[in-house]
Amino acid sequence: MSSNDSTPLNSPRKIFGKTATLDNNAMLEYEMNRNLDVKYREKAEKELGETGGELTYTKIRQLRQQLNIYNENHQRALGCRRDDSFLLRFLRAKKFDVEKAFKMMQKYYKMKEEYPEIFKVSPPSEMKFMLEMQIQTMLPKKDEHGRQIYLFRVEKCDPYKIPVDYVFRSNVLALEDAVRSPETQIGGLVVLLDMAGLGFAHARYLSPHLAKKTVEVVQEAFPLRFKAFHVLHEPFYFDAILAVLKPFLKDKIRRRIHLHGNSLSSLHKYISKDLLPVEYGGNLGPFDNTEWRQTILDNEQYFIDLETYNHLSESCYQLGASNGGDGDAESIDSLQFGDTETEDSEFDEDDRRVLSPKRNARSIQNIEEIFLKNGYDGMAPSVTAADLEKEAEELK
């Protein structure tokens, strides 16, 4: 891809005809891809195999054909957006392997159909009260590798005010907003989880069911490249919490998890001070998600439209020409998670392991066990085991 080439996308108007009703968001993303900075075009070519020219568009056309074949041969249609920019999200996530990109699309919609309580794309106005609690944000600057950084603070997440599904859905909302950017699709995402303030009441957020769904989103169902997970202020029993996740994690994802304890200097080896708020030893101002939050609130209609697209429906209006097919596309009902490996294979020798090699925490079926068995020392003297057990029952 030469520095003067742009990704060879067709305008949605060209694809769907002069009389079609077009999604304004499809046009916006089309323009963002056309105007992509040369740095990201070169990165896409080097890391993703996005060479530009006819080869790239051939892959887009093949993926759209897969979708058309599937929808012709299955009663429930698979989503509605067929424009080049939307399909490009999944191709970039799978390094332009059409079969893997199509499987990811199927799983993306399957998750939203089967678990709407946590994967529903909520209108931002419904989530405003939570966004205003300053729990999470996308940091304003990307790192030296062009990666977006998502910061989530457990301490600000009040388990007595925020339902479990809202925590999950707020993160899905953040991801859906981030993936609109071609730069983030190419550069990827870094997650910074600050676990300061984690208490027994947060156990409701850490059930094995939700943990497994989180892993499935990261590894298989969401079209973003998750490049690193940095955990700060994790409790001493965090190995036990990760033991719940370990059976579901692929080795590549394990290598990308970095545990920093209370050491900001350890964090700064991976994330520059210039990118971090002052609370994290950074050179930016205090943590403030106002600008990020307002951007999401201003795009209310986009997220409403996206939720409409996300329904698997017999009557879903099909954009694009039919290409015919032999009906061999795999049914979404038969899909199994765990068979689609993400494509990034970079390995950092100094990556910390998920579990300390000296501590092999046994598998725990109930997260509350972790707090009951390990949390007493961190509790106030007035909190007894009976109190904890009573609270555990209330959280169920």
Side-chain angles (χ1 to χ4, degrees):
M1 183 187 298
S2 72
S3 61
N4 294 321
D5 289 340
S6 61
T7 301
L9 304 185
N10 281 320
S11 163
R13 177 62 66 195
K14 181 176 180 181
I15 297 171
F16 304 127
K18 295 181 179 180
T19 61
T21 301
L22 296 182
D23 182 347
N24 290 332
N25 297 297
M27 292 298 296
L28 174 62
E29 291 173 34
Y30 164 70
E31 292 297 332
M32 286 194 293
N33 273 295
R34 277 181 52 84
N35 298 320
L36 190 61
D37 187 272
V38 62
K39 175 179 71 174
Y40 285 95
R41 293 206 298 268
E42 291 174 350
K43 186 178 183 69
E45 180 177 12
K46 180 180 179 180
E47 297 184 11
L48 309 181
E50 186 175 329
T51 57
E54 183 60 27
L55 180 59
T56 295
Y57 185 66
T58 296
K59 297 285 188 178
I60 295 172
R61 189 167 59 244
Q62 288 172 348
L63 181 54
R64 184 158 45 239
Q65 183 177 11
Q66 285 257 32
L67 290 169
N68 289 333
I69 291 172
Y70 178 91
N71 287 332
E72 285 183 353
N73 291 279
H74 294 85
Q75 189 175 30
R76 290 177 300 168
L78 190 64
C80 284
R81 277 189 66 176
R82 296 291 183 275
D83 57 280
D84 290 8
S85 296
F86 187 75
L87 302 184
L88 196 53
R89 297 179 181 185
F90 293 89
L91 287 167
R92 284 170 172 161
K94 290 299 179 183
K95 293 191 174 180
F96 285 81
D97 184 310
V98 175
E99 291 296 328
K100 290 182 178 180
F102 180 59
K103 279 194 174 183
M104 174 173 271
M105 291 193 78
Q106 288 180 288
K107 291 176 179 180
Y108 172 83
Y109 287 111
K110 182 179 177 71
M111 294 282 274
K112 290 181 178 295
E113 180 193 31
E114 292 192 348
Y115 305 103
E117 70 279 7
I118 53 179
F119 288 105
K120 175 185 177 182
V121 181
S122 300
S125 57
E126 291 184 7
M127 307 295 292
K128 184 178 179 181
F129 81 97
M130 183 175 174
L131 297 175
E132 290 178 343
M133 295 175 75
Q134 298 284 343
I135 297 169
Q136 72 251 76
T137 193
M138 289 288 175
L139 295 180
K141 297 180 181 179
K142 295 181 174 66
D143 70 9
E144 60 183 311
H145 304 292
R147 304 178 300 190
Q148 192 85 48
I149 302 172
Y150 181 53
L151 172 55
F152 188 96
R153 306 192 294 176
V154 172
E155 188 173 32
K156 297 295 182 179
C157 193
D158 188 336
Y160 297 106
K161 294 181 179 179
I162 304 175
V164 174
D165 57 338
Y166 270 61
V167 174
F168 212 102
R169 283 156 56 186
S170 72
N171 288 324
V172 171
L173 183 67
L175 294 180
E176 291 286 8
D177 180 65
V179 78
R180 300 179 71 188
S181 166
E183 294 181 356
T184 303
Q185 294 167 21
I186 294 168
L189 188 74
V190 172
V191 177
L192 172 54
L193 174 61
D194 181 0
M195 299 191 74
L198 180 71
F200 182 76
H202 291 99
R204 67 179 72 185
Y205 298 147
L206 300 171
S207 72
H209 169 73
L210 289 177
K212 186 173 185 292
K213 294 303 146 194
T214 299
V215 171
E216 288 173 354
V217 167
V218 169
Q219 294 188 148
E220 302 176 31
F222 201 86
L224 266 181
R225 306 172 69 208
F226 292 87
K227 304 299 293 181
F229 300 86
H230 295 277
V231 184
L232 196 62
H233 302 130
E234 72 274 12
F236 70 92
Y237 46 82
F238 193 62
D239 274 358
I241 294 176
L242 285 174
V244 178
L245 294 176
K246 187 179 180 182
F248 312 120
L249 288 172
K250 293 171 181 174
D251 190 58
K252 179 200 64 183
I253 296 297
R254 295 182 199 176
R255 295 197 303 264
R256 294 182 179 180
I257 298 177
H258 306 263
L259 307 181
H260 300 286
N262 297 322
S263 175
L264 291 177
S265 61
S266 174
L267 176 66
H268 296 158
K269 293 177 182 178
Y270 297 89
I271 302 178
S272 168
K273 293 181 181 181
D274 292 336
L275 308 177
L276 294 167
V278 294
E279 293 91 334
Y280 299 93
N283 298 328
L284 299 181
F287 182 102
D288 185 4
N289 72 2
T290 301
E291 184 175 348
W292 172 76
R293 179 181 76 230
Q294 193 58 49
T295 298
I296 290 179
L297 291 170
D298 288 344
N299 284 283
E300 174 98 357
Q301 191 59 48
Y302 168 76
F303 295 103
I304 292 174
D305 293 343
L306 185 62
E307 180 60 19
T308 301
Y309 285 131
N310 285 338
H311 288 301
L312 292 165
S313 169
E314 296 179 22
S315 60
C316 185
Y317 176 60
Q318 297 305 300
L319 294 175
S322 171
N323 290 288
D326 55 12
D328 61 353
E330 183 178 14
S331 168
I332 195 169
D333 295 316
S334 66
L335 279 176
Q336 298 295 321
F337 287 92
D339 62 350
T340 303
E341 180 65 80
T342 47
E343 291 299 300
D344 300 322
S345 59
E346 298 93 333
F347 177 75
D348 296 323
E349 291 295 336
D350 58 350
D351 277 1
R352 302 184 181 197
R353 307 303 297 180
V354 169
L355 293 177
S356 166
K358 295 182 179 180
R359 289 190 290 166
N360 293 314
R362 68 179 180 84
S363 178
I364 295 177
Q365 297 303 312
N366 192 326
I367 296 290
E368 289 158 1
E369 279 188 65
I370 297 171
F371 290 89
L372 290 171
K373 291 182 179 296
N374 299 287
Y376 303 140
D377 292 342
M379 300 290 180
S382 60
V383 179
T384 66
D387 295 329
L388 292 172
E389 290 172 354
K390 180 180 179 181
E391 187 169 2
E393 288 300 317
E394 293 174 351
L395 291 175
K396 290 179 180 177

